[in-house]
Every structure is written in C-alpha cells, then in structure tokens.
C-alpha cells in the first residue's frame, strides 16, 4: 500500500456557500471532483500531516463511497487518525461534539443538509474547525483559492475499511476509529437536561411525534426519546436514514413536514410534535394545533432555558442571524443580557460562543443551538422544549400565549421563491440596492420607510468584516423587510424574503401571521418589483 500523488486540474465552482460546498450528486461523483475539494480543504488548513479528524455524514446517496475516498486521502496526506461514525453516519451536531470531545484538528461532514438526496439530487461536503464549528469565511475562501490552482492530490491505494465494525483499524499506517454514532451525543444531552422530569412527563401519558424525515436524526431520536426517556415506541417516525430520504425533502417546515402538520392539527393530535432536517441540525416544533415559528421558539427557549440543569446559571448572551425576528432581543433586554445580530449561517456564531459572550444562538430557518457544540442542533432544541414543558406543566399553546402577553409579538414570515433565473434575481437585487438612497421618508403601503441598507457585519471578537449580507428596509413603525439570495441552493437562485412586524399587545396578539404582515408583504413586492423581475407573484414556500 502506498500514498499516490495523482495529477489533476482545477474544476470550476468549488466555492463553499452558506454551509459547505453543495452540488448535484453526479457532479460530486465526477472524475476528481470530491478529491480536488478534499485536497483543497487539507491544503487550506496547512496540510493533514499528523492530524486527527472526525468524519461522518447524513447517510445520503454517495455518503459511504465518499467516506472511503476521504479516508484514503487522509491517509495519503499523512493524517494520524480519523474518528468515523459507524457506517459513516454522524449528525452535524454529533460530529461537532466528537471534534470537541476528542480535541481533534477538525472534521469533515458529508451533507447537503435540507437539500434532497439521491443519485440525481444533492450532495455536499463541509469542514469544521477544531472548535467544532463551521469553517469561517477566511478558511472557506482559502479552500476555494486552493481549488482554483490545484495540480495534484494525494490518496492511498489501500482497500476499504469496514465501517460497520466498531473499533480501531489501520489504513496505510493511519488509525481509523469507528465509533457508535449516537452514544457520546446522547450522553451530552443527558448532561444538559432534566431527563428524570421528562421521563416522568412521558410516564404520565404525554404524547409526542418526532418526524426524522428518513434522515440522520432517526437513530438519535429513537435512542434518546424512546429508549432513554420512555416515550412510547413509535414516537419517532421515518426513523431509518435512507440514501434518498425515502423521497422526502428533509426540510423541517410546514410545507415539507406536511405529514407531521396534518397529525398535529388532527383530532388525535399528540401534545407535542417535532421534525428535523437531513443532517440533524434543524428543528421544527409544533404544539397541538399550533405551529411555533422558529424565531419565536428561540425567544421562548431563551426566556426559559434556566429551567434546564445545563443552563441553570443563566445565559451569558444570545445571538441571532440578522433576518431572524427580534423576538429574542426583547427577552435579552428583560434578562439584562447582550443580544448580537450576525449574518446568515452558523459560522458567524462561532467566535461569540468561543468567547463566552453568547450561550444561545438561533436562526429563522429552524436552527437553534447553544455553546454545548458549535453547530445548530435539532434534537437539542426539542429536548430543551421537552424540559421546559415538563417543568412548567403547561401546553405549548399556553406557553406561547403567556410569552406574547409578556413580550409582545413579532409577527414573522419568510417567503421563498425557488429556482428563479440567476441573472434576473441578481438584477432585481442590484436595482433594489440602487434605490436605497431615495427610500428614507417614502410612504409605501401606508408605512414610512426609516432606513435601508446592505447589512455588513463586524465580528465583535476578531474584528473581521463581512459585507453584502442582505438588503434591509426598516420602517418607522418597527416593521422590517429583508431580502437575500440563498447560498445553499444548487439550481438557479432562491430569493428569500423575510417579513416582520411588531405588535406590542395586549390587543392583536393572535392574528394569522400572513394577515398581520399583509402591508409589509405588499410593500416588499412594490419596492423590489419581484414579479416584474422574476415573473413570480407568489412564493413556493412560506414559513
Ligand atoms: C440556509 C438558511 C441558513 C442556514 C443555512 C444552512 O441558508 O437560510 O439560515 O444557516 O441554510 O443550514 P441560505 O443561504 O440558503 O439562506 V443547513 O441545516 O441547510 O446546513
Ligand atoms: Co442542516
């Protein structure tokens, strides 16, 4: 067995987006494609020589083959050891935890997250740093630069390692430690939450449905909810990770998790429902007959986190992505802690978490997490909700009503316009940006525009600056429009339109969000001329 050096040429488009590099599966399976990108990762971090990495993925099509190639490349590049989830399965938060637990030099996660999987669908690769978090922009830029002038990659010609067998093997002198995908993560959860209280709640007849959407969280949710917490067998559905997610689109929102929504609004609805995405870092929570918007969920978790043993000492601060509603900011004010506003994507929370300035973080896109790992964490959020429900002994609806009565309500929605023509989307965004100097003072849909800008972020810890992170239009009445183009899609452009309006209460706290936001929606279409540029007047997905 020898380490080979294979000549290669740069391949266009290996620029990581919001969360790693995502492409159509056949593209990733093309000659040298995966190899070029993985070599660029190793080159960007100063080589793999003597290093230890974590490796695993969400089980989508090509997961197992890709893992074997990456193992041989790690060996070819002189890595000392790779810790792999059994059968190359690891959820994103579990991978983040293993990186931290074993103090490794980082990890490679095979996932395109909420994008569908399968031979004709999507595949993805992301690199996480020694802190367990997604590579920051400086590092993803370096990967891209290496991919642009790559001339060779290194790979061992050793045979496949049996990843089904737990234990340590060697591959061309490199140790390959195959670990149980769930055990360490489950232990971490048990250390954070009041498992006895949740167990008692289930024993008293509390009913739950968890939809794993045939993606990676199935084995984690089964072990934790059913085996350790005593939820009824069958609580977790679609629990086996499948290469094509059983044809499901593993994006936990009311549109794609429609089976769960139907059950939660039906006559026999359980007390609590939840779903997770492809790689296990997102969550949707639903009460009986009641959808909880992710921005509100973040606010409720922040207001009640002290009920969980792991957060009993209180929160150092909270952080949310800019498009996420300001609901959590109101909680932070009441708690007397700092609230940070960052660009979209978990990589921007890393420094705040590492510096101990934020304990809880969240995004409007169904992502919530804390400083227990450096990724958003779907099951963690579900368990924190269960802990709160067990301690407060109230329904989700009662908790939400009390929350809005105390803090007021940030009506919020995101409208996605998918697979629009890239050039049209870019022209529309450019035109809107150009109009900004003329906007302040203008009245649209009966509301006065106070300010408009292109969001730029200065990291409060290391001073790095990220520009062009979303167009914002702020109204004098506190309403807000944000528009940005997705950085995770693989087909055309996806326009994300984020809409928000604050209602202080006590009146008007239980409107339908789309109705409450009607003037804001109207203003957005008028100002951005979405239909004129894209031909679309209605969104594909509303969350
Ligand atoms: C989307 C979400 C963003 C999230 C990202 C990765 O990005 O909006 O909030 O961090 O997906 O999540 P974009 O650029 O498409 O808007 V995951 O769970 O798909 O890795
Ligand atoms: Co995800």
């Amino acid at each position: 067995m020898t380490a080979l050096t294979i000549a290669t040429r740069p391949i266009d488009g290996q620029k990581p987006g919001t969360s790693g590099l995502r492409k159509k599966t056949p593209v990733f399976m093309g000659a040298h494609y995966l190899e070029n990108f993985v070599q660029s990762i190793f080159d960007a971090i100063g080589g793999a020589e003597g290093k230890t990495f974590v490796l695993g993925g969400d089980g989508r099509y090509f997961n197992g083959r890709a893992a074997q190639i990456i193992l041989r490349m790690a060996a070819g590049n002189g890595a000392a050891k790779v810790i792999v989830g059994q059968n190359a399965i690891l959820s994103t938060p579990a991978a983040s935890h293993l990186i931290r637990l074993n103090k490794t030099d980082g990890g490679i996660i095979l996932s395109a997250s909420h994008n569908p999987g399968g031979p004709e669908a999507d595949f993805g690769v992301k690199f996480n740093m020694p802190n367990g978090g997604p590579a920051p922009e400086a590092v993803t830029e370096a990967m891209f630069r290496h991919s642009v002038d790559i001339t060779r990659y290194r790979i061992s010609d050793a045979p496949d390692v049996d990843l089904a067998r737990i234990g340590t093997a060697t591959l061309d002198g490199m140790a390959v430690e195959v670990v149980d995908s769930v055990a360490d993560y489950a232990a971490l959860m048990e250390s954070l939450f009041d498992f006895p209280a949740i167990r008692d709640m289930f024993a008293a007849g509390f009913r739950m449905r968890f939809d794993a959407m045939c993606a990676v969280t199935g084995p984690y949710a089964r072990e934790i909810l059913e085996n350790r917490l005593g939820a009824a067998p069958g609580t977790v559905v679609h629990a086996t990770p499948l290469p094509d997610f059983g044809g499901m689109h593993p994006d936990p929102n009311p549109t794609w998790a429609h089976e769960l929504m139907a059950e939660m609004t039906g006559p026999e609805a359980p007390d609590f429902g939840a779903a997770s995405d492809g790689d296990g870092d997102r969550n949707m929570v639903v009460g009986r007959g009641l959808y909880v918007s992710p921005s509100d969920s973040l606010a409720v978790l922040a207001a009640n986190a002290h009920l969980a043993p792991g957060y009993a000492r209180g929160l150092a601060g909270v952080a949310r992505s800019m498009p996420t509603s300001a609901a959590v900011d109101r909680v932070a004010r009441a708690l007397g802690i700092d609230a940070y506003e960052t660009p979209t994507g978990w990589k921007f929370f890393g420094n705040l978490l590492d510096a101990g300035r934020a304990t809880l973080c969240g995004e409007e896109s169904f992502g919530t997490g804390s400083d227990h790992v450096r990724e958003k964490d779907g099951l963690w959020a579900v368990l924190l909700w269960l802990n709160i429900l067990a301690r407060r002994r109230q329904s989700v609806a009662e908790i939400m009503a009390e929350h809005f009565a105390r803090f007021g309500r940030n009506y919020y929605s995101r409208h996605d316009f998918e697979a629009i023509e890239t050039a049209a989307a870019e022209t529309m965004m450019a035109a809107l940006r150009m109009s900004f100097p003329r906007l302040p003072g203008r009245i649209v849909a009966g509301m006065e525009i106070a300010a408009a800008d292109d969001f730029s972020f200065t990291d409060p810890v290391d001073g790095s600056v990220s520009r062009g992170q979303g167009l914002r239009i702020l109204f004098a009445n506190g309403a807000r429009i944000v528009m940005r183009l997705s950085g995770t899609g693989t087909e055309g452009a996806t326009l994300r339109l984020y809409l928000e309006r604050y209602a202080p209460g006590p009146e008007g706290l239980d409107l339908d969000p789309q109705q409450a936001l009607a003037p804001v929606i109207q203003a957005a279409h008028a100002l951005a001329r979405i239909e004129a540029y894209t031909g679309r007047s209605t969104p594909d997905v509303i969350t």
Side-chain angles (χ1 to χ4, degrees), residues 18-19 22 92 111-115 126 277 279 281-282 321 344-346 363-365 376 414 484-489 496 498:
T18 312
S19 175
R22 296 187 193 182
T92 288
S111 174
S113 188
H114 59 284
N115 300 24
K126 45 188 181 175
D277 73 333
D279 61 332
D281 55 2
R282 298 187 186 202
S321 66
T344 292
W346 211 261
E363 295 191 279
E364 49 63 42
S365 53
K376 51 191 185 285
R414 184 176 103 184
R484 55 181 285 281
L485 299 180
S486 158
T488 58
R496 303 209 192 282
Y498 309 85

Side-chain angles (χ1 to χ4, degrees), residues 341-363:
E341 186 178 41
T342 59
T344 292
W346 211 261
K347 56 179 170 245
F348 295 103
F349 294 132
N351 281 342
L352 290 165
L353 291 165
D354 283 349
R357 290 168 73 162
T359 311
L360 244 58
C361 304
E363 295 191 279

Side-chain angles (χ1 to χ4, degrees), residues 29-197:
M29 294 179 74
H32 304 315
Y33 196 92
L34 175 68
E35 291 85 346
N36 272 19
F37 187 63
V38 171
Q39 187 64 51
S40 301
I41 292 176
F42 290 148
D43 292 345
I45 59 167
E49 186 81 44
K51 292 184 178 173
T52 297
F53 299 104
V54 165
L55 174 66
D58 63 14
R60 71 181 60 220
Y61 189 82
F62 191 47
N63 187 81
R65 286 302 321 140
Q68 295 288 354
I69 293 169
I70 294 169
L71 285 173
R72 299 212 315 273
M73 288 189 66
N77 278 272
K81 178 176 173 180
V82 179
I83 300 169
V84 197
Q86 190 176 20
N87 296 316
I89 295 284
L90 283 178
S91 76
T92 288
S96 181
H97 178 51
L98 283 178
I99 293 170
R100 297 165 63 76
L101 186 68
N102 296 288
K103 299 192 168 49
T104 71
D105 300 289
I108 293 178
I109 302 172
L110 309 174
S111 174
S113 188
H114 59 284
N115 300 24
E120 301 303 327
D122 293 351
F123 192 78
V125 174
K126 45 188 181 175
F127 182 76
N128 281 31
M129 305 295 283
N131 75 345
E137 275 193 331
V139 179
T140 55
E141 285 297 326
M143 292 172 194
F144 179 57
R145 277 199 310 276
H146 282 281
S147 81
V148 173
D149 44 40
I150 189 166
T151 56
R152 51 89 196 112
Y153 61 83
R154 295 198 188 87
I155 188 162
S156 159
D157 63 357
D160 283 0
V161 180
D162 180 2
L163 297 180
R165 218 176 53 226
I166 291 186
T168 301
T170 56
L171 190 156
D172 221 351
M174 179 184 83
V176 178
E177 187 186 348
V178 180
V179 299
D180 183 297
S181 309
V182 177
D184 287 321
Y185 176 84
L188 174 66
M189 294 300 113
E190 201 151 357
S191 76
L192 295 173
F193 300 115
D194 191 345
F195 271 38

